[in-house]
Amino acid sequence: MGKLSTAQLSSLGDSFLKMAQSVGEYRVENRAGLTLKQNNEIREIHRTLLNYADYFYTTSAKLMMDDIAGSLDRVRDITARVKRTYTRLKNFQKAIDIAAAVVRFGAAIFSKNLLAINEAIESIEEETKK
Amino acid sequence: MNRFLIISSRITVIFLLFLAGCINLKELNRFASNSSRNISKFDELAYSFRKACREKCLIAQFENKSLIQDCICRDEKTADSVLQVVYHVTEGYFDGLVKLSGNDLVDYRFNSLTNSLKEGNFGGLIITDRQAKAFARISALLSHAVLDAYRKRKLGEFIDEANEPIRVLLEAMAENLQSNLQGRLQTQRERMKSYYFDLLEDAGSSGYEKKNIIEEYHRLLNEMESRESKLNSYARGLKAIAKGHQEIYTNRNRLNAKEVRELVAGYAEDVRDMIDEFNKIKTED
């Protein structure tokens, strides 16, 4: 037998759940006519069917990873590129601010003002630290 | 005359570049933002495979009237980790789209450059105040046009590549929640019903105790119904996001068209409605 798909496993879970529901209904509706032993037996069957249903649902959820592994990798890769593009565009503002600081530095050199040169150097340092 | 022609052609190029970059991403940004918000509601589901497992163990303890119960939830932990991974990856993708389509991303501030380029004589170079301001204005216009066009092109590429895998993930997650986790909720409800039936049947229970048992049963039933509603609402939200992404993908080359913008805005609204619906569901968790 080949491997069951996640959809088939979920469907099996549904089938076992329905069987369990029917058994549970039967026990509730016929409780008065059941002996203690019969009641216990039916309750045990009910529990077992529910456990099977749980198993199929959980296994289906676990195996879903096999179905989506490729898609996960692709979306992860695209997201990394989206973030890189965002950072690149964001950094453009930084480049403008650094360029402005460099222009101020150039102007200060032309002005031959030592204080202005010092301030301009500090300004470049600050911008490049951001 | 020649100089006039050169200036005119430069202005035309700048204007065309500006138009090319003048792309309205408002609707896309709203859709991505609502999608990201909707996906992040995962943390508020208040139900998981592990929780289902622990509650199953609790019922077993009640039935056996014992504290001792082997409660192994290893498989459930793995099942939850699958959901967690899909949640983080899809949320990360839409979060990236929100940032990249944000209005403020390419609104660069050139004030610093304008302030630096003041009127003055820089060695042999003379810059007038008018020239300095014009330079800053043209820089802003050009950078906005070029970089906005670049961002639009990149967004188109990302949406194109992501459409199929993101839909696979969103639909798989919705299916997992609606089929498997919902299934676990149903089995738990069935166990609870059986347990409370037996409790009520217990010959030792007085009328007052029976009343309390019935009240507790209904309180737990309501809680389960709320969980179920949340799972359904969340899963429907994921499906709406997948559908919206598909529409954006189909129309990715004409996002500026009025009808496409209205369509995307409609999906953004649908997703927001799902968030509102989800928020209205009350749980006792």
Side-chain angles (χ1 to χ4, degrees):
Chain A
M1 195 179 80
K3 207 173 120 186
L4 291 171
S5 69
T6 52
Q8 286 170 323
L9 286 163
S10 298
S11 179
L12 275 170
D14 289 341
S15 302
F16 277 93
L17 172 65
K18 276 183 194 136
M19 282 189 265
Q21 283 168 334
S22 301
V23 172
E25 282 295 312
Y26 177 83
R27 189 169 82 89
V28 169
E29 283 168 15
N30 298 284
R31 177 66 189 94
L34 295 172
T35 64
L36 189 64
K37 190 172 175 256
Q38 285 170 328
N39 184 48
N40 287 344
E41 275 173 4
I42 295 174
R43 185 169 51 205
E44 204 45 51
I45 291 169
H46 184 238
R47 282 177 193 165
T48 306
L49 291 173
L50 288 174
N51 286 341
Y52 284 154
D54 278 347
Y55 168 79
F56 287 121
Y57 287 134
T58 310
T59 307
S60 168
K62 271 170 60 186
L63 291 183
M64 197 155 272
M65 191 53 126
D66 297 345
D67 300 345
I68 58 169
S71 297
L72 275 173
D73 287 344
R74 281 170 69 193
V75 175
R76 271 197 196 110
D77 172 60
I78 293 161
T79 304
R81 281 158 52 208
V82 168
K83 286 183 178 162
R84 273 204 299 276
T85 307
Y86 171 76
T87 310
R88 205 173 293 153
L89 289 169
K90 205 76 186 151
N91 282 345
F92 188 71
Q93 181 65 57
K94 202 175 159 186
I96 295 166
D97 294 338
I98 293 171
V102 172
V103 169
R104 271 199 298 278
F105 178 58
I109 291 172
F110 283 125
S111 70
K112 293 175 185 162
N113 178 340
L114 273 177
L115 193 66
I117 293 172
N118 273 339
E119 280 174 5
I121 290 171
E122 279 171 17
S123 170
I124 291 176
E125 280 174 349
E126 266 176 42
E127 290 300 340
T128 47
K129 268 183 209 163
K130 278 181 195 169
Chain B
M1 184 65 187
N2 238 358
R3 201 168 163 223
F4 174 76
L5 277 175
I6 291 166
I7 292 169
S8 305
S9 60
R10 280 181 185 166
I11 290 170
T12 312
V13 168
I14 290 166
F15 183 66
L16 286 174
L17 269 170
F18 177 73
L19 279 183
C22 186
I23 287 148
N24 199 328
L25 295 173
K26 199 174 81 184
E27 288 80 10
L28 175 65
N29 183 265
R30 195 180 302 153
F31 171 77
S33 175
N34 286 351
S35 300
S36 177
R37 273 177 56 212
N38 197 323
I39 293 168
S40 68
K41 291 281 166 192
F42 179 78
D43 286 330
E44 294 174 35
L45 281 178
Y47 199 57
S48 63
F49 285 96
R50 272 175 91 186
K51 190 156 188 168
C53 178
R54 284 198 301 268
E55 289 182 355
K56 176 179 167 179
C57 294
L58 194 65
I59 290 270
Q61 283 179 315
F62 289 159
E63 284 172 339
N64 299 330
K65 297 180 184 69
S66 166
L67 282 173
I68 301 154
Q69 173 70 39
D70 278 341
C71 191
I72 301 160
C73 302
R74 203 183 307 116
D75 288 343
E76 283 81 359
K77 195 177 168 190
T78 311
D80 280 337
S81 68
V82 175
L83 285 174
Q84 282 284 345
V85 170
V86 179
Y87 158 54
H88 285 299
V89 169
T90 50
E91 213 254 345
Y93 168 73
F94 282 101
D95 190 45
L97 282 193
V98 172
K99 284 180 177 162
L100 200 54
S101 60
N103 275 342
D104 56 340
L105 182 59
V106 288
D107 279 344
Y108 298 108
R109 296 174 306 278
F110 280 83
N111 306 2
S112 55
L113 209 52
T114 322
N115 294 339
S116 300
L117 267 181
K118 277 178 185 157
E119 186 177 23
N121 186 343
F122 299 91
L125 183 70
I126 299 161
I127 295 176
T128 65
D129 185 47
R130 232 176 112 224
Q131 283 172 325
K133 280 180 182 158
F135 169 75
R137 214 172 295 153
I138 291 168
S139 303
L141 206 63
L142 265 175
S143 65
H144 185 273
V146 172
L147 295 172
D148 206 21
Y150 167 76
R151 151 173 98 147
K152 169 72 174 40
R153 185 170 55 79
K154 294 304 275 183
L155 272 169
E157 279 174 26
F158 296 141
I159 289 166
D160 185 358
E161 281 183 58
N163 186 53
E164 197 237 322
I166 199 79
R167 276 181 40 238
V168 166
L169 295 184
L170 291 167
E171 282 159 13
M173 181 137 163
E175 197 55 38
N176 203 354
L177 293 172
Q178 281 187 310
S179 299
N180 299 325
L181 194 53
Q182 192 95 261
R184 290 292 309 247
L185 197 60
Q186 299 291 336
T187 58
Q188 189 60 12
R189 188 204 295 248
E190 195 59 27
R191 275 189 193 92
M192 208 178 73
K193 193 173 157 189
S194 171
Y195 169 69
Y196 278 91
F197 171 73
D198 286 338
L199 210 57
L200 212 56
E201 281 287 295
D202 191 339
S205 304
S206 70
Y208 182 71
E209 279 173 332
K210 285 186 176 177
K211 174 189 162 282
N212 285 347
I213 291 166
I214 292 167
E215 275 177 356
E216 193 179 301
Y217 174 67
H218 281 285
R219 185 182 62 76
L220 289 171
L221 210 59
N222 285 339
E223 199 179 305
M224 286 197 158
E225 275 166 13
S226 296
R227 285 175 180 177
E228 197 174 341
S229 301
K230 280 204 166 190
L231 284 178
N232 271 326
S233 168
Y234 186 77
R236 278 204 307 278
L238 296 181
K239 285 178 182 172
I241 296 169
K243 207 171 164 193
H245 198 281
Q246 173 65 42
E247 287 297 336
I248 292 170
Y249 162 78
T250 309
N251 298 289
R252 65 197 178 284
N253 295 323
R254 46 191 212 103
L255 285 174
N256 245 2
K258 191 170 175 274
E259 71 271 21
V260 177
R261 285 171 55 191
E262 281 171 2
L263 191 76
V264 177
Y267 278 104
E269 284 302 300
D270 286 350
V271 176
R272 204 197 61 190
D273 289 347
M274 297 289 177
I275 299 172
D276 292 342
E277 184 191 304
F278 185 91
N279 287 339
K280 278 180 196 157
I281 303 165
K282 300 261 186 296
T283 53
E284 292 180 28
D285 288 296

